[in-house]
Structures are given as structure tokens and as C-alpha cells.
Amino acid sequence: METNQKVVALTFDDGPTKNTNQLLQLLDKYNVKATFFLIGNEIEKYPEEAKKIVKAGHQMGNHTYSHNRMVFKTPSYIKEEIERTDQLIQKTGYKGEIDFRPPNGKKLIGLPYYLKKHNRDTITWSIEPDTYYTTVADKVNYVKDNIKPGSIILMHPMYDDTGKELQAIEGVLQALSNVGYTFVTVNELQEL
């Protein structure tokens, strides 16, 4: 997103899982609102965690129902994957606009057509430290080195039971706050 203001959006893919609480506590400690792209079948498994995300005031997005790649799929399959997840998100009490992020960021023919027809925003990302690095320090440094106003950061804390991803997220929150960045939701970033 183009902006001159020192704002960035922190986004998380997948989940919710049992790791949701720790992540919410960390965001609360830094008074940060983030955007969670959730998987429908995980919302079914962890409905209370999904509700906690809403209660804490974060933005929720749709990351499909099953997290299958949305490539070479029928229109009815695409519709079902997205609309079923929208319904689950709405059941949590979430009232905002539901943005969409395709699994692995992949979109071919059928998916863009559906999204355009239904006037849905597709949110990708500009910085994803998890792709390149495994250590906490490397991830934090990668974000620091590549950040610019309007960046969308993608991280994956939901299936990490080591606590390392949470440490990396905290490192990013500290490092960017120290240089004057504010964290906003994707919707807030779009409005700037």
C-alpha cells in the first residue's frame, strides 16, 4: 500500500489454534491491532479462540475453508470454500468487512473471477520473513531491513509450539515501534 505515514499492517495466516491466547496477550502488551486470516475448518475446531480474536478488536480475514490451493478448482468449489468460511467468521461475532487471502498467495482464473464478481479485496503481503529465515534474530533483521511505510508483514504463529515465532513477532513489534512505526489493520491501511 502506498503511504508516507509510518504505518504497517501485521498479518497472521492460518489458525485459530490453541496458540491463539499467547499471541493475543503479546499483541495486547504492545497495544497492537493485527489482521488474522483464518481457515474455516480451524474456526470449527477452535470457535472460542476465534471469538477471542474478535473480542480483542482485531480484523479477521478469510483464508479459505480447507487451505487447499485454489488453483484449477471449479467455481462451485471456490464459492463453497470462501462462503462457508465467511459464515463461520460471521458466527464469531465479527462485523467488519472480510478480506480474502488465497492459500500460498496463488490465484488463477476461477478465483480472481469469483473475487471480482463479489467485489472482494484480496490481500497479499510485501514482507514474509518465515520464507527465508528460521532464527528469531534473522527474521527480525529481515523485517527491519525491508520495512517501508505501508508494508504488509506476514507471519505464521499458529502452528509453532516452540515459541520462536512469538519471539520473532515480539522482536518485530519492538524493532519497528523503536523507529516510529505504528501497527494498523489491513482495513485501516486501505483507508489511508
Side-chain angles (χ1 to χ4, degrees):
M1 307 274 167
E2 291 296 311
T3 178
N4 299 323
Q5 297 177 49
K6 284 186 95 170
V7 293
V8 293
L10 182 57
T11 70
F12 304 114
D13 274 10
D14 312 327
T17 65
K18 64 184 187 327
N19 294 346
T20 303
N21 284 340
Q22 289 170 294
L23 178 58
L24 289 175
Q25 286 165 1
L26 176 61
L27 294 170
D28 191 48
K29 178 178 158 184
Y30 285 86
N31 198 18
V32 162
K33 296 294 180 238
T35 304
F36 289 74
F37 288 93
L38 301 179
I39 299 170
N41 62 26
E42 294 282 17
I43 299 173
E44 284 177 340
K45 280 185 227 158
Y46 296 98
E48 291 313 308
E49 277 71 12
K51 286 178 186 152
K52 285 176 190 167
I53 293 170
V54 177
K55 219 182 206 150
H58 299 286
Q59 182 181 341
M60 256 188 205
N62 183 324
H63 199 41
T64 71
Y65 180 78
S66 63
H67 201 267
N68 288 332
R69 284 177 53 156
M70 301 291 278
V71 176
F72 305 118
K73 299 288 195 261
T74 63
S76 62
Y77 179 87
I78 290 168
K79 180 180 191 309
E80 167 79 2
E81 280 280 313
I82 294 174
E83 292 177 12
R84 191 171 174 189
T85 304
D86 279 351
Q87 286 164 359
L88 288 162
I89 288 172
Q90 285 155 352
K91 259 195 209 155
T92 66
Y94 182 70
K95 299 277 185 268
E97 181 190 335
I98 303 173
D99 291 333
F100 178 76
R101 176 175 278 167
N104 315 112
K106 300 280 185 278
K107 297 187 301 184
L108 276 178
I109 306 140
L111 182 58
Y113 176 78
Y114 174 91
L115 295 167
K116 187 172 166 54
K117 196 170 94 178
H118 293 86
N119 201 14
R120 294 294 289 267
D121 287 334
T122 304
I123 306 299
T124 52
W125 55 87
S126 46
I127 298 179
E128 186 190 8
D130 301 343
T131 304
Y132 306 103
Y133 297 105
T134 51
T135 73
V136 169
D138 285 342
K139 287 181 185 189
V140 173
N141 287 330
Y142 176 76
V143 174
K144 275 194 329 206
D145 293 344
N146 291 281
I147 202 74
K148 53 185 197 278
S151 291
I152 297 177
I153 304 164
L154 165 57
M155 298 185 81
H156 302 83
M158 290 297 179
Y159 304 112
D160 171 46
D161 292 329
T162 66
K164 292 252 189 297
E165 188 74 347
L166 274 179
Q167 289 171 14
I169 291 165
E170 182 156 26
V172 166
L173 291 169
Q174 282 173 338
L176 297 185
S177 298
N178 289 346
V179 292
Y181 274 96
T182 306
F183 293 86
V184 296
T185 64
V186 167
N187 281 346
E188 288 168 334
L189 193 57
Q190 287 172 310
E191 282 162 19
L192 288 176

